[in-house]
Amino acid sequence: MARARPDAASPATSPPGRSSSGSLPAPASSLSTGTTRARGPRPRAGVDTAYLAPPVGPTGLAQAGKFVKQAAAEGLRRVVLLSGRGVGSPGREFAVYESSLDLENALKDSGADWTIVRPAWFAQNFSEDFLLDDVLAGEIRLSAGTGAEAWIDVDDVSEVMATALLDERHTGETYSLSGPRPLTLTEVAAELSTATGRPIGYVDLDPGEHVTELVEYGVPQEDAEAVRDLFAVIRNHRSEYVSDGVQQVLGRAPRDFRDYARTAAQTGVWSA
């Protein structure tokens, strides 16, 4: 089965996105003057505020840590980091989580003002590059077992990130974000079936099989293993809880997965 690259697999792994339909909050450069979405190892001259969305693998996360240190030394004053929910929590003894925690600590030690946003998995992964092909094929192939995740609408993440970037009262805060209820992949498939009007199932892959499929598609081995480990947390039932970061920052409840699916279906993205 053809599979999409998992570039948008999690908040810490996503490519450039769009606030209303992409896998990432809007790039910070579209939010305020003198602000940039910093991704590479070279700081940009004259930038004093950055939105940092690092790559998925440990190597990329380590490079992001070096970027933060160098950029802060060259005048970067403030960073809002897109991390991942559960970083630093028990049951996540995987390189991708340990490297994410190292990056968070590097930011805190950099001397720059910081805010860390830790979202759950993005609902939009099912309508964007990562899992769109699976939904179109009617078969979501992941190694999440019977575990559940409180999938979050990326528009909620966008609003939180924008607020954190534009309001320095959020300096020094770490916010964990999620949707209002955990859903297993079987429940996700049922919601998508209702929204699309056609059957969509979930195939629970063995973790090793998951890596093999990703590598066969062309995903680097390290990134494929990182994706496997991110799903292992769900598989091990370590993500079956909700977080109140959206309420803390925005003063309202997060959007439900069902509302996301209904809205996405209306765009025609699953009609191909």
Side-chain angles (χ1 to χ4, degrees):
M1 171 177 293
R3 296 186 59 85
R5 291 181 63 89
D7 296 334
S10 78
T13 69
S14 305
R18 297 167 295 282
S19 62
S20 60
S21 62
S23 301
L24 263 186
S29 57
S30 69
L31 298 174
S32 63
T33 303
T35 305
T36 186
R37 182 174 183 275
R39 296 199 57 176
R42 296 181 181 178
R44 298 179 185 178
V47 172
D48 66 2
T49 302
Y51 154 45
L52 180 61
V56 59
T59 299
L61 289 163
Q63 290 174 343
K66 293 178 181 178
F67 163 81
V68 167
K69 181 177 179 180
Q70 180 183 354
E74 295 183 11
L76 185 65
R77 183 181 62 84
R78 174 162 169 72
V79 178
V80 177
L81 172 65
L82 192 68
S83 187
R85 196 169 72 131
V87 168
S89 299
R92 292 165 172 81
E93 290 76 25
F94 301 107
V96 61
Y97 279 97
E98 292 168 354
S99 297
S100 295
L101 183 60
D102 289 343
L103 173 57
E104 290 188 5
N105 289 333
L107 173 58
K108 292 177 181 179
D109 294 340
S110 69
D113 291 341
W114 55 268
T115 303
I116 296 171
V117 179
R118 295 172 170 174
W121 282 73
F122 297 155
Q124 273 76 0
N125 283 321
F126 296 98
S127 53
E128 296 294 330
D129 289 344
F130 177 42
L131 293 168
L132 174 58
D133 284 356
D134 283 15
V135 176
L136 292 175
E139 191 174 80
I140 300 170
R141 299 174 62 83
L142 296 171
S143 56
T146 60
E149 168 71 356
W151 311 85
I152 187 166
D153 191 313
V154 76
D155 286 349
D156 287 338
V157 184
S158 296
E159 290 186 38
V160 169
M161 295 295 292
T163 301
L165 279 163
L166 300 176
D167 187 343
E168 294 191 2
R169 290 178 296 179
H170 296 285
T171 297
E173 299 290 345
T174 299
Y175 297 111
S176 293
L177 317 179
S178 80
R181 57 183 175 126
L183 294 172
T184 66
L185 267 297
T186 298
E187 292 169 331
V188 164
E191 293 282 358
L192 295 175
S193 296
T194 299
T196 61
R198 55 186 176 79
I200 297 171
Y202 165 54
V203 177
D204 177 24
L205 298 176
D206 174 83
E209 183 182 7
H210 194 180
V211 171
T212 298
E213 287 196 5
L214 294 173
V215 171
E216 287 177 348
Y217 185 75
V219 177
Q221 182 76 28
E222 182 183 75
D223 289 354
E225 292 174 354
V227 172
R228 172 203 62 197
D229 293 343
L230 289 165
F231 275 108
V233 172
I234 300 177
R235 189 180 189 89
N236 295 336
H237 301 277
R238 290 285 187 170
S239 203
E240 296 173 348
Y241 62 96
V242 297
S243 302
D244 64 355
V246 173
Q247 292 93 326
Q248 286 181 279
V249 178
L250 303 179
R252 62 164 177 80
R255 300 178 179 93
D256 189 75
F257 188 91
R258 184 170 299 167
D259 296 326
Y260 148 73
R262 184 183 300 113
T263 300
Q266 290 171 352
T267 70
V269 68
W270 293 318
S271 299

